[in-house]
């Protein structure tokens, strides 16, 4: 994710956040790069992030690709809610094993306190829900599927 900072309540519209601009190839997005094998590991990691963070608005255009083929996940405002709300375009990995490095990272996250910067932004229910989702993803070991077909944001890009 691009560097993101909180803005104080003395901002004109109150408390909010600001993300750094990513100079990206804006004609490219998740649907134009999802079949590029070199990007698959990053896309799998982003898929796992969306599940654990409870991303409720991962559109294809929220996956920016820079000139170095790095994927930047932007627009993460609808995340970390305690109620399960995952909506993402990244369902291509459904049923696939979650990569070992992602599982190790989740295991490490569950074995340590949340970073202070994150913990102070989440209330206790959100922190508990985050850990529960991480534990569920770790325990399943596979990317879930959406049997309802309703967990896709609109518009898709």
């Amino acid at each position: 994710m691009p560097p993101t900072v909180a803005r104080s309540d003395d901002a004109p519209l109150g408390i909010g956040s600001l993300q750094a601009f990513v100079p990206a190839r804006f004609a490219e997005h998740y649907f134009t790069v999802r079949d590029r094998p070199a990007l698959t590991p990053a896309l799998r990691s982003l898929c796992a992030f969306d599940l654990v963070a409870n991303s409720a608005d991962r559109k294809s255009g929220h996956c920016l690709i820079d000139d170095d083929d790095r994927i930047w996940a932007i627009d993460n405002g609808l995340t970390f809610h305690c109620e399960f709300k995952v909506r993402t375009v990244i369902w291509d990995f459904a049923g696939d094993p979650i990569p070992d490095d992602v599982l190790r990272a989740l295991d490490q996250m569950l074995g340590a306190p949340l970073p202070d910067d994150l913990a102070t932004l989440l209330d206790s229910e959100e922190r508990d829900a985050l850990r529960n989702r991480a534990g569920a993803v770790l325990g399943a070991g596979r990317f879930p599927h959406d049997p309802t077909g309703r967990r896709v944001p609109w518009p898709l890009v």
Side-chain angles (χ1 to χ4, degrees):
M1 279 178 254
T4 305
V5 296
R7 303 304 294 178
S8 68
D9 56 2
D10 63 348
L13 298 176
I15 297 171
S17 64
L18 180 68
Q19 265 187 341
F21 177 78
V22 175
R25 298 186 305 254
F26 294 106
E28 293 189 85
H29 48 78
Y30 177 74
F31 292 130
T32 67
V33 302
R34 68 182 178 185
D35 294 325
R36 288 175 48 190
L39 298 179
T40 299
L43 292 171
R44 287 180 187 274
S45 293
L46 179 54
C47 180
F49 171 83
D50 281 351
L51 294 168
V52 173
N54 201 19
S55 180
D57 195 34
R58 175 71 61 221
K59 295 178 175 88
S60 180
H62 296 169
C63 302
L64 300 182
I65 317 301
D66 70 15
D67 286 336
D68 296 322
D69 280 344
R70 183 174 179 185
I71 299 173
W72 293 86
I74 64 159
D75 194 15
N76 299 294
L78 298 175
T79 56
F80 298 111
H81 197 280
C82 55
E83 180 185 329
F84 186 72
K85 294 184 175 202
V86 168
R87 288 185 331 144
T88 179
V89 295
I90 307 176
W91 289 104
D92 295 307
F93 306 118
D96 291 356
I98 296 174
D100 289 339
D101 62 324
V102 173
L103 294 175
R104 279 191 302 276
L106 290 173
D107 191 44
Q108 289 175 349
M109 183 192 104
L110 289 170
L114 291 176
D116 288 341
D117 290 348
L118 178 59
T120 59
L121 294 173
L122 304 178
D123 66 29
S124 62
E125 288 181 0
E126 292 167 332
R127 290 190 299 268
D128 290 345
L130 172 64
R131 289 190 173 282
N132 288 339
R133 288 188 302 270
V137 170
L138 180 63
R142 293 188 170 276
F143 289 105
H145 69 283
D146 172 24
T148 69
R150 296 184 192 142
R151 297 207 171 273
V152 177
W154 191 260
L156 295 176
V157 179

